[in-house]
Amino acid sequence: MRKENIDWVVKSGLCLGCGICQDACPSNCIKILHGSKSIRPVIDSNRCIECGICTQTCPGRGLKLKNFASKLYNVEHDRYIGPYYKSYTGWSCDDMIRFHSASGGVVTQFLLYLLHHKYMDGVAVVGFDDKNKMLSHSYIARTEKDIINARSSKYCTTSIEGIATEIKNNPGRYIIVGLPCHIQAFRLFEEKFKVVKDSIVGHFSIYCSLNKINISTKYYCNRYKVLYEQIRKFSYRDDGCMGYMKFECYDESEKKIPYIHYWLGTHSFFVNKRCLLCNDHFGELADISFGDINIAPYNADKIGISSIVTKTPFWDNILTNAANDGYIELHDLPKDVLLSSQKYVIIHKKGAGISAMRNIRRWFGLKNPIHDDKIQKATFKMYIKQFASLLMMEVGKRPYLWFIIKILDRYK
């Protein structure tokens, strides 16, 4: 019986662009195509042996999050957070790391603690490409420098192809740091490849509401009058919390745009469409999750504060040890305060937003990802909002329509 390959996921509009299928393919017939509007696998049909492993490791087709998580964790399950043990606020005790990271630098500092105390041999992280300074790429960090170079947010679609293969070929102790979809990809991959499962000692997720397609980087250069080829260094968030988009050029010039200006002014136009079907904000299959906490009184801090969710006593203990050893500052955070800081997850990822988008796809005869979450009834207002989002995304993909974005940008 013929088994469907990853091409079905792409044609169904469910591909996340994570790239894990390339590593999973036993016949090496899948290559990841990195385009400005999408990252997707391309299959050499002449070499495909129709084994189905690529789709079995694909998070794009969806998975039953609550059921999967119940096999990993024996802790409280919260409808919005997923597995939940404890939650905290915290920040790096290194002032430079804290100031130049997206929100407190806890991830970077905690990884340094794990490296120094030999909990790991390497960590899968996301940094910027050496040749394309505004585009991200995944790599295994094995040194302090490599870990620090991956600090702060990357608001563009990132593929993790090659990471699982490197781990498979070089067994050791590895941490995976990524978005919820990356964590899902590795969890599925580990079910098929025991050598990788045995080498991964921890999964850390960054909260994720939505991500952007990579053509957005061209828009930012156009919008803020920066020559792409002149960029020496780029950051989506730097110099404090919430910080600035920061261009540093070879001619020693620098341009900084407040985070709130470029995010609210352009965000909806460049959303990765598949993100509108994602129901995992906190990284429900990760051992620890990290993210912003932009509510009072925490948002009064302009240097950086993170919120943190632990899923197991084991990792909670290691995190606490890092605080006791002076690497990070850590404070208890009530769960209801954490949830109030992440209202998007309630409205969109676990509520009327995702319900409306699933129904819209169903009306047009399109496939939806597998899920086991409780469906909330979509409101008329949310249907309008989601249709508007789809229209705005079509504008974002077409540079000749970017004048519309500039007209609507409230931060002129």
Side-chain angles (χ1 to χ4, degrees):
M1 179 179 176
R2 176 173 178 155
K3 296 183 178 180
E4 292 176 324
N5 62 27
I6 204 69
D7 195 46
W8 171 85
V9 179
V10 175
K11 289 179 179 177
S12 298
L14 297 177
C15 179
L16 289 159
C18 74
I20 199 72
C21 54
Q22 176 176 301
D23 295 66
C25 180
S27 59
N28 297 315
C29 71
I30 300 177
K31 296 298 178 186
I32 305 302
L33 178 65
H34 292 255
S36 62
K37 300 175 185 177
S38 68
I39 297 175
R40 60 183 177 84
V42 177
I43 299 174
D44 183 345
S45 56
N46 294 322
R47 297 173 60 188
C48 179
I49 60 176
E50 300 174 5
C51 63
I53 293 177
C54 56
T55 55
Q56 293 165 24
T57 58
C58 173
R61 68 189 178 98
L63 71 163
K64 296 181 178 180
L65 268 178
K66 185 175 182 180
N67 180 64
F68 203 116
S70 69
K71 295 184 289 185
L72 297 172
Y73 305 110
N74 185 28
V75 294
E76 173 192 347
H77 188 280
D78 182 86
R79 178 185 172 189
Y80 303 111
I81 301 172
Y84 174 86
Y85 184 66
K86 290 184 180 179
S87 53
Y88 304 93
T89 58
W91 54 86
S92 167
C93 290
D94 183 310
D95 292 339
M96 289 298 291
I97 289 177
R98 184 182 179 190
F99 185 67
H100 291 292
S101 300
S103 55
V106 170
V107 180
T108 300
Q109 195 69 62
F110 187 46
L111 291 175
L112 292 175
Y113 172 82
L114 296 176
L115 182 69
H116 294 163
H117 289 76
K118 303 187 185 307
Y119 283 101
M120 66 178 189
D121 301 308
V123 52
V125 293
V126 175
F128 284 107
D129 190 280
D130 289 336
K131 295 181 180 178
N132 300 298
K133 303 297 184 179
M134 293 183 72
L135 296 181
S136 57
H137 79 113
S138 299
Y139 63 94
I140 299 287
R142 301 179 186 275
T143 66
E144 285 190 19
K145 181 180 178 181
D146 286 343
I147 289 173
I148 292 172
N149 284 343
R151 68 189 175 195
S152 198
S153 299
K154 316 294 186 300
Y155 295 130
C156 53
T157 308
T158 304
S159 171
I160 53 174
E161 89 263 15
I163 298 296
T165 297
E166 184 173 346
I167 293 173
K168 192 187 333 181
N169 294 336
N170 300 277
R173 297 163 302 161
Y174 295 92
I175 302 290
I176 304 298
V177 178
L179 300 180
C181 55
H182 296 145
I183 302 302
Q184 291 177 23
F186 269 97
R187 289 294 195 185
L188 290 168
F189 191 93
E190 290 163 45
E191 288 198 326
K192 291 293 179 182
F193 299 91
K194 188 175 185 299
V195 64
V196 173
K197 183 175 183 177
D198 291 344
S199 289
I200 296 177
V201 296
H203 303 75
F204 299 170
S205 180
I206 310 300
Y207 306 167
C208 183
S209 53
L210 295 167
N211 214 342
K212 296 172 181 281
I213 58 175
N214 291 339
I215 199 173
S216 61
T217 60
K218 299 291 187 180
Y219 174 80
Y220 293 134
C221 287
N222 178 285
R223 179 72 180 85
Y224 300 116
K225 297 179 174 57
V226 177
L227 293 176
Y228 193 90
E229 61 274 12
Q230 289 299 313
I231 299 171
R232 178 178 61 83
K233 185 179 179 182
F234 172 76
S235 302
Y236 281 99
R237 287 170 63 177
D238 201 347
D239 292 0
C241 186
M242 298 290 287
Y244 301 83
M245 174 182 281
K246 189 174 177 181
F247 300 89
E248 298 176 52
C249 299
Y250 287 109
D251 63 2
E252 304 302 322
S253 64
E254 179 180 287
K255 181 165 289 190
K256 295 168 62 172
I257 297 93
Y259 167 84
I260 198 71
H261 288 202
Y262 81 82
W263 186 261
L264 293 184
T266 67
H267 179 57
S268 296
F269 290 95
F270 297 103
V271 170
N272 183 335
K273 189 182 292 185
R274 176 59 177 80
C275 292
L276 297 180
L277 293 168
C278 175
N279 61 341
D280 188 1
H281 174 78
F282 283 98
E284 296 183 28
L285 303 186
D287 302 307
I288 312 181
S289 299
F290 306 83
D292 292 325
I293 180 163
N294 297 318
I295 58 170
Y298 308 103
N299 57 4
D301 177 274
K302 299 306 178 185
I303 304 174
I305 298 179
S306 302
S307 64
I308 307 151
V309 179
T310 60
K311 316 294 182 70
T312 69
F314 174 80
W315 277 107
D316 188 84
N317 183 59
I318 296 176
L319 185 73
T320 303
N321 288 342
N324 292 336
D325 288 347
Y327 278 72
I328 59 176
E329 186 80 17
L330 208 59
H331 300 275
D332 290 335
L333 175 68
K335 185 171 71 172
D336 61 331
V337 177
L338 170 68
L339 284 172
S340 68
S341 75
Q342 306 293 322
K343 290 182 179 179
Y344 180 92
V345 65
I346 297 173
I347 298 172
H348 287 268
K349 298 225 168 190
K350 300 292 187 181
I354 194 169
S355 179
M357 187 53 62
R358 287 173 181 166
N359 287 337
I360 290 170
R361 287 180 63 86
R362 196 175 295 116
W363 296 340
F364 286 91
L366 300 174
K367 299 282 187 180
N368 280 314
I370 300 166
H371 64 87
D372 62 351
D373 51 344
K374 185 178 179 181
I375 297 296
Q376 179 178 328
K377 186 177 180 180
T379 62
F380 177 75
K381 181 179 179 180
M382 188 57 71
Y383 280 120
I384 297 300
K385 185 173 182 178
Q386 296 294 54
F387 271 117
S389 295
L390 292 171
L391 181 61
M392 292 167 78
M393 283 184 269
E394 292 303 312
V395 171
K397 290 189 293 186
R398 294 166 171 80
Y400 61 87
L401 294 177
W402 284 352
F403 71 92
I404 296 174
I405 308 176
K406 293 180 181 179
I407 292 173
L408 296 176
D409 189 348
R410 72 188 75 175
Y411 297 105
K412 295 181 174 63

